[in-house]
Amino acid sequence: MAPTRSLTRAVLGSRTLAALTSPHGVDRYLELVNPMWAVHEVRARVVAIERETDTANPVATVTLQPTSTWAGHRAGQHVQVGLELPGSRRFTRVFTISSAASGPGERFTLTVRANDGGTVSSYLVEQARPGQVLHLSQALGDFVLPDPVPPRLVLLSGGSGITPVMAMTRTLLRSGYDGRITFLHYAQTPAHQIYADELAALAAADNGVDVHLVHTEAGGALFTPAALADVAPDWAEVDAYACGPAGLIERVQAAYADTDRLRVEYFKTPAVATGDAEGTVAFTRSGEQSANSGATLLEQAEAAGLRPEFGCRMGICFSCTARKSEGTVRNVLTGEESSLPDEDVRVCVSAPVGDCAVEL
Amino acid sequence: MTVTPLTGTPTPPRAARTTGSPAAADQQLDPTNVAGKYGLSPADLERFGEEMDAIRKRIVADLGEEDAAYIRNVVKTQRGFEVAGRALFYLPPAWPLAVAALSISKILDNMEIGHNVMHGQYDWMGDPGLNSRMYEWDNVCPSEQWKYSHNYIHHTFTNILGKDRDIGYGVLRMDEDQKWHPYYLGNPVYAFLLMVFFEWGVAMHDLEVENIVAGKRRISDNKALHAGIMRKVRRQALKDYVLFPALTGPLFPLTLAGNATANLVRNIWAFNIIFCGHFPAGVETFTEAESEDESRGHWYFRQLLGSANITGGKLFHLMTGNLSHQIEHHLFPDLPARRYPQVAAEVREICERYGLEYNTGRLGKQLFSVAKKICRLALPDRHAPRPGTPAASDQEEPWTRSA
């Protein structure tokens, strides 16, 4: 089996086959036969979806069987997930991998909270079914543990930010880690607690992991340096990894302001439109910035002294397409607004609404 | 002032142009402009444009699963014909079938898939395999260069003499206002050669060879383009003229000939469909002056009068990549082409209300009209230039400069 498989891969991945299938490439043919066959692209089949919480914004863990092209991941990394939603539009979002480190082609899990207005996350939690195929990137991100792993760690998290530190903990325990971990997590209430059973088991076992769960809407206090010192007196001399909502991360960063022990991870969320011609337009590639004048991104870029590529200047030729990394834009032809992060827009017909960042 | 108007009435001389304040001019018709000839004021054009925008908006709001299923089905069909064509070359008696299947594959790939996907018609799906920035077609012209000359130059400056290089492709005389030169005696021959080698002509289009001959462009300007073209040519040639023939072993010459024939069939078909899009009698050309700082309404107006349709059945429309609806394509270049037949009746009704010609006809009629024009324009104009015809001789016509 294994030799046949590697021979198949060698043939499918060969330069000859690439030349024969030019200009479309081997994957464009394979996918028509079986979406789980690929030579370069990474896709995954949903194996199972299990609820973690049943709160207003429920959380579920999605188990994925990737194609053989999946190169594996390190604990703490994330992956881009492309999902075709009803209406035939594919949306791509980033989710942290919650399972322990995986090898090439191995199954892994995502733990996803159904955000308000989060089309992809809501779909994955509430509507996706086993068998469905998703489009993936390879694992990304450098929010990972160093090698060798230090003998002492503080893992701080809030809400669904528990996923990367849970992946780290699972990986360390699986590999027989003999150091000590302080695992401090903040959730709203016990009902909001993700991985409640597994965390209870971790806390009960003799494994070097001190689990501290704080439920802030059930009498628990918000994060303070003093609270951290209570559970980890040595915290200032220990490598710490934090992931969670902006409020928590700001408090944690303030506590660690005088040390270089802290590593944080946070994700961008869709912007909320703030009205017309306010805010700042950031041109991230050139580093320029200017007050939003309400004109199109192309005009504002030119006013800022940039010379972005363009063609028709009326939205028909797609020459000026650029990536908007954050913020809301209004299509000046249709009036439609779009707030998705990392979205390709035609800058000649897109005017920013409020703060906006575009890769120009 | 360009093609003899549909009504047959001669265009009034430019001297008749009214002079006055810009505000007053807005209220009046300029008979030397195409819009004035059709009796449309700027306000009329604005209303015309709003009606077109309304159609556009409605279709954009309706894009969804049907469009996605359609294009994916076409892709699947095209790949099926491609695989079948390549496989049938192993059966020598099936050679004609193999050529037919491969020809269909290449036509679908270039026209209904490639041309339309590269227009961004399916970018809204977010599928990298159907995205205008990533799609590459089965053709020697690199998609990157084609998108510049086609999506930008041709679709923005459609039928503006001196700006739209698709008027004669720098080789042919396709409009009276291109000044005649003895070189154009070869017009029918050049057209025939362009038909046979169409994909190569398309690949060389961006090099603007005519402008190099005319001394308006330096060979060094093309350096960046050469590498892209050569890379694409090598890949296409390796596949069609070396690897696939070699894979059929002793049948190498037959397969090679079959692949070349399929490319030729695609060239002839694409050339004929495309030439019916802008060159049949009655299609208007425009001057740079009248198109400068034009309104959105005038842009729509120019797209409409600069294009011509071909009538036919569903299969015919598919095989033309819906360029049989060239008018709708030019009005709405980034809407999925399968929508063009759906909006055609409405576009035509709007045209009637504004007294605008909706140029359409059977393939035979449009082809004959184009062939006639190619031959007629090979010869010098029979009558002297009309007095006051706006600067026909000043048109940026490369060949006259080079001579």
Side-chain angles (χ1 to χ4, degrees), chain A residues 270-315:
Chain A
V272 178
T274 58
D276 270 336
E278 290 172 356
T280 308
V281 181
F283 303 101
T284 55
R285 193 168 295 163
S286 59
E288 294 290 330
Q289 235 178 344
S290 60
N292 178 9
S293 67
T296 64
L297 283 170
L298 178 57
E299 288 164 335
Q300 297 204 41
E302 288 171 340
L306 308 184
R307 290 284 164 267
E309 194 180 321
F310 65 85
C312 66
R313 300 187 80 101
M314 57 186 295

Side-chain angles (χ1 to χ4, degrees), chain A residues 340-356:
Chain A
L340 304 175
D342 294 324
E343 173 187 36
D344 286 337
V345 297
R346 284 166 280 173
V347 294
C348 72
V349 291
S350 299
V353 180
D355 288 338
C356 187

Side-chain angles (χ1 to χ4, degrees), chain A residues 22 24 29 87 90 344, chain B residues 65 72 82 109 125 133 239:
Chain A
S22 167
H24 304 307
Y29 295 83
R90 189 194 293 185
D344 286 337
Chain B
E65 269 151 43
R72 285 185 173 142
E82 185 181 0
D109 176 278
M125 288 172 61
R133 292 210 290 178
K239 171 178 77 159

Side-chain angles (χ1 to χ4, degrees), chain A residues 128-207:
Chain A
R129 291 286 169 267
Q132 184 159 13
V133 173
L134 312 177
H135 302 266
L136 302 179
S137 66
Q138 293 289 3
L140 303 165
D142 47 12
F143 185 69
V144 292
L145 294 171
D147 190 25
V149 182
R152 179 80 183 92
L153 285 169
V154 169
L155 303 179
L156 284 159
S157 58
S160 57
I162 195 171
T163 46
V165 292
M166 196 65 185
M168 291 174 180
T169 308
R170 287 166 168 169
T171 307
L172 291 175
L173 291 180
R174 188 180 65 183
S175 60
Y177 178 66
D178 56 4
R180 218 160 54 76
I181 299 172
T182 301
F183 192 104
L184 176 54
H185 176 74
Y186 290 80
Q188 286 163 274
T189 68
H192 288 86
Q193 183 61 55
I194 304 172
Y195 311 132
D197 295 343
E198 186 178 353
L199 289 169
L202 278 184
D206 175 22
N207 53 14

Side-chain angles (χ1 to χ4, degrees), chain B residues 228-249:
Chain B
I229 296 176
M230 284 317 294
R231 190 167 41 218
K232 190 73 194 292
V233 166
R234 267 201 306 275
R235 283 185 190 159
Q236 290 293 109
L238 178 68
K239 171 178 77 159
D240 278 344
Y241 303 133
V242 181
L243 288 179
F244 274 113
L247 279 175
T248 56

Side-chain angles (χ1 to χ4, degrees), chain B residues 112-401:
Chain B
E112 183 66 337
I113 306 168
H115 170 268
N116 293 336
V117 166
M118 289 193 282
H119 258 292
Q121 293 181 1
Y122 299 94
D123 277 14
W124 54 270
M125 288 172 61
D127 181 343
L130 295 169
N131 185 285
S132 62
R133 292 210 290 178
M134 305 188 205
Y135 198 85
E136 186 62 71
W137 56 354
D138 186 6
N139 185 302
V140 290
C141 178
S143 63
E144 207 51 54
Q145 296 181 22
W146 180 83
K147 278 185 281 185
Y148 172 79
S149 58
H150 184 82
N151 287 5
Y152 169 41
I153 301 291
H154 171 57
H155 272 273
T156 308
F157 306 113
T158 311
N159 279 27
I160 300 176
L161 265 170
K163 284 193 115 170
D164 181 3
R165 295 184 53 251
D166 280 28
I167 303 177
Y169 301 96
V171 185
L172 303 172
R173 183 170 182 240
M174 295 307 298
D175 192 276
E176 278 88 348
D177 285 350
Q178 287 174 283
K179 196 186 168 193
W180 187 81
H181 180 273
Y183 160 84
Y184 288 121
L185 286 170
N187 224 26
V189 178
Y190 311 144
F192 179 79
L193 290 174
L194 182 58
M195 174 177 79
V196 170
F197 297 103
F198 193 54
E199 69 168 328
W200 300 93
V202 175
M204 287 175 57
H205 187 56
D206 260 22
L207 299 177
E208 303 187 27
V209 175
E210 78 279 9
N211 285 337
I212 290 176
V213 174
K216 287 193 291 189
R217 186 181 170 94
R218 282 169 312 191
I219 291 184
S220 56
D221 293 340
N222 281 345
K223 236 177 173 171
L225 301 175
H226 286 150
I229 296 176
M230 284 317 294
R231 190 167 41 218
K232 190 73 194 292
V233 166
R234 267 201 306 275
R235 283 185 190 159
Q236 290 293 109
L238 178 68
K239 171 178 77 159
D240 278 344
Y241 303 133
V242 181
L243 288 179
F244 274 113
L247 279 175
T248 56
L251 300 173
F252 188 104
L254 271 181
T255 310
L256 175 73
N259 292 348
T261 310
N263 279 323
L264 175 67
V265 169
R266 183 269 327 274
N267 285 352
I268 294 173
W269 178 254
F271 170 94
N272 280 292
I273 296 304
I274 289 162
F275 267 57
C276 286
H278 296 293
F279 304 135
V283 169
E284 295 281 3
T285 54
F286 298 76
T287 62
E288 289 188 46
E290 71 188 296
S291 313
E292 203 156 297
D293 295 323
E294 68 185 347
S295 64
R296 191 161 170 84
H298 189 271
W299 182 82
Y300 273 124
F301 167 80
R302 182 159 55 79
Q303 300 303 325
L304 167 75
L305 293 185
S307 312
N309 282 7
I310 316 168
T311 56
K314 262 192 159 158
L315 184 63
F316 174 74
H317 292 318
L318 168 66
M319 294 306 285
T320 65
N322 278 299
L323 288 183
S324 48
H325 289 90
Q326 188 78 241
I327 292 175
E328 287 74 18
H329 173 56
H330 264 269
L331 293 171
F332 314 114
D334 59 343
L335 294 188
R338 68 177 281 270
R339 298 289 191 156
Y340 300 153
Q342 295 175 12
V343 300
E346 199 176 341
V347 169
R348 195 169 183 163
E349 184 272 324
I350 294 170
C351 292
E352 272 165 25
R353 269 195 280 117
Y354 284 81
L356 298 172
E357 180 79 358
Y358 183 92
N359 193 328
T360 185
R362 283 178 300 106
L363 179 63
K365 177 197 153 205
Q366 300 291 57
L367 274 180
F368 181 71
S369 174
V370 172
K372 212 167 94 182
K373 184 185 268 186
I374 290 171
C375 295
R376 182 166 51 84
L377 293 179
L379 302 170
D381 300 339
R382 260 167 285 174
H383 47 81
R386 292 184 291 271
T389 296
S393 53
D394 290 346
Q395 279 303 331
E396 296 285 320
E397 179 38 58
W399 285 100
T400 58
R401 300 289 167 86

